[in-house]
DNA sequence: CAGGATCCTACAGGATACTG
DNA sequence: CAGTATCCTGTAGGATCCTG
C-alpha cells in the first residue's frame, strides 16, 4: 500500500487514477491527440508511416512519430521495420488494438447522437 | 465551408478532428482528467459537490468545479441549484451521460485485460 | 457549502530544419 | 522514406486563499 498523494503533479494524479480505475487507464491510453485517428486508419489494415501521414494531413511528422512510439510502448500497435533502402516501416494494430474497434464504433454512434442533440 | 488549416494551435486541430470524426469528438469530451471519474461516481445517482469531492479525494475544488462546468456545457451532467442557505447543488448525469455507462463498462473490461497482458 | 480569484508550472503539442 | 533535433507556445491542471 503506497501513499497516493504527496505533491501531485498533473500526471502523477492521472496515473494514480488510472492505476485504480481500468476505464480511466483505458481513456488515458487513448486520449493522445492523434491516437484515435491513427487507430481508425489502421483498423483497415497495416499502413506505412508516409501513408498514415497522408491520411492525417494535420499531423506533423514529429507528432506522428511520437504518438506511434507511445502506442507501440502501450502495445496498441506493432512496428515493423524492413531493413531496406529506402527504409520501410509498417504499423498495424495489436490484438488489444483491434479489440478497441467495436468500442470505437459505439463511441462514434454516441458522438453522432450527442452532437445532433446540441 | 471554412478553412481548416492555417496556423494550427493544438486545439484548433483537436476540434477540427472532432468535427470530422464523431469518435474523436466523443473522446475529446471525455478526456478531461476527471471527467470519467465524475461520470462513474454519478452513474449510481445524483451527488452533491461535496460528496463528489469526498469520493475523489485527489481532485482540488477548483478542478472539480471547472470540470463540472465543462461537463454541464457539454451536456453530460445536469446541475441543480437549490436556493437555500447553506447552498446545495446536485449533479446528475443527463440522458447522454447515462448512455455512456455501457461504453465505460467495456472500456473497463478492455483496460483490465490489456493491463494484465503487459 | 460550493465555489471564485489568483498565480504558477509541467507537459502536450506545433514549426521548422536536418539526416541515415 | 521515415524519422531526429531543436526550439517554442498554449493550456490543462495544481496550490492557496477568499467569499456569498
Amino acid at each position: 500500500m503506497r501513499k497516493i498523494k504527496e505533491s501531485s503533479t498533473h500526471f502523477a494524479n492521472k496515473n494514480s487514477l488510472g492505476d485504480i480505475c481500468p476505464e480511466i487507464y483505458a481513456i488515458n491510453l487513448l486520449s493522445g491527440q492523434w491516437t484515435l485517428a491513427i487507430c481508425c486508419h489502421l483498423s483497415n489494415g497495416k499502413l506505412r508511416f508516409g501513408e498514415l501521414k497522408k491520411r492525417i494531413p494535420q499531423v506533423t511528422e514529429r507528432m506522428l512519430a511520437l504518438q506511434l512510439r507511445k502506442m507501440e510502448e502501450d502495445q496498441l500497435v506493432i512496428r515493423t521495420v524492413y531493413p531496406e533502402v529506402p527504409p520501410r516501416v509498417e504499423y498495424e494494430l495489436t490484438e488489444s488494438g483491434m479489440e478497441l474497434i467495436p468500442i470505437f464504433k459505439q463511441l462514434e454512434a454516441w458522438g453522432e447522437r450527442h452532437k445532433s442533440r446540441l
Side-chain angles (χ1 to χ4, degrees), chain A:
Chain A
M1 285 291 171
R2 289 182 299 109
K3 287 222 222 140
I4 289 190
K5 201 59 188 286
E6 190 154 304
S7 143
S8 53
T9 73
H10 328 160
F11 85 26
N13 268 342
K14 203 160 186 165
N15 290 339
S16 73
L17 272 182
D19 282 351
I20 304 166
C21 237
E23 63 266 48
I24 295 184
Y25 166 80
I27 285 274
N28 284 348
L29 291 189
L30 300 176
S31 55
Q33 171 99 94
W34 306 102
T35 315
L36 274 230
I38 294 170
C39 283
C40 288
H41 287 290
L42 289 182
S43 66
N44 302 315
K46 50 174 65 171
L47 286 175
R48 302 178 56 170
F49 187 87
E51 293 171 324
L52 272 172
K53 196 165 115 68
K54 223 172 294 173
R55 280 172 170 71
I56 315 175
Q58 304 100 324
V59 77
T60 61
E61 290 175 353
R62 183 183 113 95
M63 283 317 297
L64 186 53
L66 282 179
Q67 283 285 333
L68 284 167
R69 300 302 185 152
K70 201 203 158 219
M71 291 170 73
E72 191 193 2
E73 194 181 325
D74 292 340
Q75 317 244 345
L76 294 175
V77 300
I78 297 167
R79 180 169 179 268
T80 315
V81 186
Y82 297 88
E84 311 168 350
V85 182
R88 183 159 63 100
V89 180
E90 287 184 342
Y91 294 92
E92 61 186 315
L93 291 181
T94 60
E95 271 297 309
S96 283
M98 306 231 234
E99 288 173 13
L100 284 171
I101 298 178
I103 302 185
F104 292 160
K105 298 271 180 225
Q106 293 174 64
L107 273 177
E108 186 180 0
W110 181 87
E112 261 163 15
R113 243 179 304 135
H114 183 66
K115 218 174 196 173
S116 72
R117 287 207 274 247
L118 288 185

